Amino acid sequence: MSDLRITEAFLYMDYLCFRALCCKGPPPARPEYDLVCIGLTGSGKTSLLSKLCSESPENVVSTTGFSIKAVPFQNAILNVKELGGADNIRKYWSRYYQGSQGVIFVLDSASSEDDLEAARNELHSALQHPQLCTLPFLILANHQDKPAARSVQEKYNYLGDRLDPVNN
């Protein structure tokens, strides 16, 4: 084979490699879903999102207003608006509901009776809100590792008959 033919063959292989690496275009976009994450102060919303984003759980500080985190999964990205759970912030939750496609409600399983009652009221308010009432809800019972944590049946009995517990 002549030097010219060898050079042409290498150029053609370089061209094919270039096309394979550079001309495929961007990878297909993963769908994005907008969620809202609510719950009382100290229920574990920030810790949950930090864990899902593979961030260090050290130095987690309660959210005083709101924060937005992009939680990447293999086939989708969840854009989660975490709303602070303090009394003075909860009255503004509904301002952040627009555009949400799902709700994560974080419940402290080991909370006091008063906090459990407040959580129940907030949950029922969210379930009835016009912008949320048709959306999927995930109720996450956090702090199950604490000695005062309530059983699934206790939480279900307390939160009300509008909920269907999932026991897997």
Side-chain angles (χ1 to χ4, degrees):
M1 199 182 249
S2 73
D3 288 340
L4 182 60
R5 302 271 301 163
I6 292 172
T7 303
E8 287 175 355
F10 280 122
L11 286 174
Y12 183 70
M13 287 179 12
D14 285 346
Y15 171 76
L16 290 178
C17 288
F18 173 78
R19 294 271 308 163
L21 294 174
C22 299
C23 298
K24 288 173 107 176
R30 293 185 282 180
E32 294 190 23
Y33 301 97
D34 295 326
L35 305 177
V36 64
C37 182
I38 56 178
L40 301 187
T41 296
S43 61
K45 300 177 298 295
T46 306
S47 296
L48 167 70
L49 293 175
S50 293
K51 185 74 171 170
L52 289 174
C53 291
S54 301
E55 297 173 355
S56 172
E58 311 264 331
N59 305 323
V60 170
V61 178
S62 288
T63 304
T64 55
F66 77 96
S67 71
I68 300 175
K69 289 212 183 257
V71 182
F73 288 96
Q74 184 174 356
N75 296 320
I77 297 172
L78 303 180
N79 296 312
V80 182
K81 290 184 272 188
E82 177 199 354
L83 308 181
D87 289 340
N88 60 340
I89 295 174
R90 281 185 249 151
K91 60 186 171 189
Y92 299 109
W93 280 1
S94 62
R95 296 180 184 200
Y96 296 91
Y97 292 165
Q98 187 172 356
S100 294
Q101 296 169 289
V103 181
I104 303 169
F105 188 90
V106 182
L107 174 72
D108 181 355
S109 297
S111 63
S112 68
E113 290 292 326
D114 289 343
D115 282 347
L116 195 57
E117 178 65 25
R120 178 183 181 275
N121 291 337
E122 293 298 341
L123 173 61
H124 283 268
S125 177
L127 285 167
Q128 295 171 0
H129 193 278
Q131 290 178 320
L132 302 182
C133 65
T134 60
L135 299 180
F137 266 74
L138 168 65
I139 300 172
L140 180 74
N142 200 12
H143 301 143
Q144 285 297 130
D145 56 333
K146 293 185 177 179
R150 291 167 178 80
S151 69
V152 172
Q153 192 61 47
E154 287 175 303
K155 290 183 289 259
Y156 176 70
N157 289 341
Y158 198 84
L159 292 176
D161 57 1
R162 289 199 62 202
L163 308 176
D164 293 322
V166 176
N167 293 307
N168 291 335

